[in-house]
Amino acid sequence: MDLTERFINYTKFDTQSAEESESVPSTPKQLVFAAYLKDELEREGFDDVEMDEKGYIYATLKANTKKDIPTIGFISHYDTSPDASGAGVKARIIRQYDGADIVLSPGIVSSVEKFPELLLHKGEDLIVTDGTTLLGADDKAGIAEIVQAMCYLRDHQEIEHGDIRVAFNPDEEIGMGAHHFDVEKFGCEWGYTIDGGDLGELEYENFNAAGAKVYIKGVSVHTGYAKGKMVNASRLACEFNALIPVTEIPETTEGYQGFYHLLGIESRTEEAKLSYIIRDHDRGRFEERKRLMEESARHMNEKYGDGTVRVELRDQYYNMKEKIDPNMHVIDLVLRAMQQCDVPPKVVPIRGGTDGAQLSFRGLPCPNIFAGGVNFHGPHEFVSIQVMEKAMQVIVKICELTAAYND
C-alpha cells in the first residue's frame, strides 16, 4: 500500500471527537478506527503492538543494529475536529493542480482569492473533499506518513536505526489527547508529533491554553411585571462578553498575540453559559488573561449581586518552549533532516497546541513537524501528496541521523 492509498483509506473512518463528552475516548466511533489501525500495524510486522482500553495505540519498529542509539518516537492523533463533519468523507485527487479555483461540488468552491495558499501547490497533486465534510489530514496524514516511513525503514535494512516507537491517540482536538498517554510505556528519550501544517513547518513554541466556563444566574418574571425584579441572564451574557477587549480576539490577532475566543453561548432569561478559550504564548500574560475573566465576574457580581456570575477556569496546556530549550538537539536533528531532504524549514510559533506540548511537560521533549494539511477543520481542507511524501522522507531521515547521534 502506498502513502496516498493509505491516507485516503484512513479518511473513510469517521473519528470526530466531542467537546462535552465525559468518556475516553470522547466518541465510541474513534475506537472503530483505532482497532483497524492496530490490526494494520500487526499486519505490517510491527512489534509490541497494543491498544489500551482508552484507544491509545503503541508499537515498535525494532533496531536493526547493536549500536547504542537513543529510542525516539513519533506520535499522531486520529480524531478529527468537532468543528465540521467527518462522516462520509469523499476524498478525491486533483492531478497536477493548475492554479485555478477548485469546484468541490456544485456551488461549493475553493477559490484562490479566498484561499491563496492553493497557489503554493501549483503543479502538485492535491487531495480535496467534496465540500460537505472536512478531509481529516489533521491528523490522519500524520499517521499515514509515520506508518509509511516505518514500512520504508523495515524494507531498507541498509539504513541503520535504533528502536523507534510510534503512538496514535484519540481526542487531541478537544485538548485531551495526551491526558492518558503513557509516557513511561512509550519509553523514548524524545519524540515528535507529526501534526503540523504545510511544507517545512517546525514548531516548538505554542500557546499557553485554558478553557473558561462562565455561568450566569438570572431571575425570570413575566415581562409585564418585570420592573425591578427580572434579571435577564441572556442580556447579562452579552454584557459580560462586552468586557472582553475586541482587539484581543482571534479575528484581530496574529503571530505571538494572544486572545480570548468565545466558543458559544447557551442562554435563556433564567440562566446562561458562555464558553471561552484563552490563549497566550507569554506565561505572565496568560495568567493576566485568566485574572481578567475573574475580575469581570467580580464586577458583574458587584453590579447585580453575589452569585450572579461564576467563572470556572481550567488550564489545558503550556508553552513547550520552556522544555525544548534545554534539549535543542531534538530541533537540530529535524533541521538537518529537512536540509538533507531539500525541505526549507519554517520555524513558526503555533497559534494553538499539540499533544507534544503536554508531553513535553511530562518529561518527553516533543516538538511538532509538518504533516502537509492546509485549511484544517473545514470543508476546504486539502493536502498535497508531494508534501506528504516529503514529511515521510523527513521522518526516515530523522531516524537515520539519530543512529549517528552518539558517534
Side-chain angles (χ1 to χ4, degrees), residues 140-209:
K140 290 169 184 169
I143 298 175
E145 290 152 8
I146 291 170
V147 174
Q148 203 70 24
M150 296 304 105
C151 291
Y152 184 90
L153 288 168
R154 176 201 64 197
D155 297 339
H156 290 79
Q157 290 295 309
E158 72 277 10
I159 302 175
E160 276 193 335
H161 62 82
D163 282 351
I164 304 166
R165 294 280 278 161
V166 301
F168 307 121
N169 60 268
D171 289 342
E172 187 271 353
E173 295 292 357
I174 59 172
M176 301 294 289
H179 284 211
H180 301 280
F181 192 102
D182 194 330
V183 172
E184 184 176 353
K185 177 187 291 184
F186 198 45
C188 296
E189 295 191 35
W190 66 84
Y192 301 95
T193 51
I194 310 300
D195 190 22
D198 213 341
L199 181 69
E201 285 191 9
L202 170 59
E203 301 154 328
Y204 62 94
E205 295 182 69
N206 61 278
F207 278 141
N208 297 289

Side-chain angles (χ1 to χ4, degrees), residues 4 49 62 89 164 168 179 228 231 234 256 263 283 298 361:
T4 302
V49 180
K62 291 291 188 181
V89 173
I164 304 166
F168 307 121
H179 284 211
V231 179
S234 295
Y256 284 96
L263 292 171
R283 186 66 174 267
R298 281 195 291 272
F361 277 86

Side-chain angles (χ1 to χ4, degrees), residues 211-215 274 276 278 293-294 310-314:
K213 303 288 187 186
V214 180
Y215 299 93
L274 300 89
Y276 290 88
I278 301 167
M293 300 293 285
E294 293 172 329
R310 176 170 59 89
V311 173
E312 290 183 1
L313 292 162
R314 178 175 60 88

Side-chain angles (χ1 to χ4, degrees), residues 245-254 257-259 351:
V246 295
T247 56
E248 298 179 22
I249 57 177
E251 304 94 308
T252 59
T253 55
E254 61 184 354
Q257 297 171 324
F259 59 74
R351 285 184 62 78

Side-chain angles (χ1 to χ4, degrees), residues 379-392:
H380 297 279
E381 182 184 8
F382 71 89
V383 66
S384 161
I385 292 174
Q386 285 77 11
V387 175
M388 288 178 64
E389 290 171 344
K390 283 293 186 182
M392 186 203 81

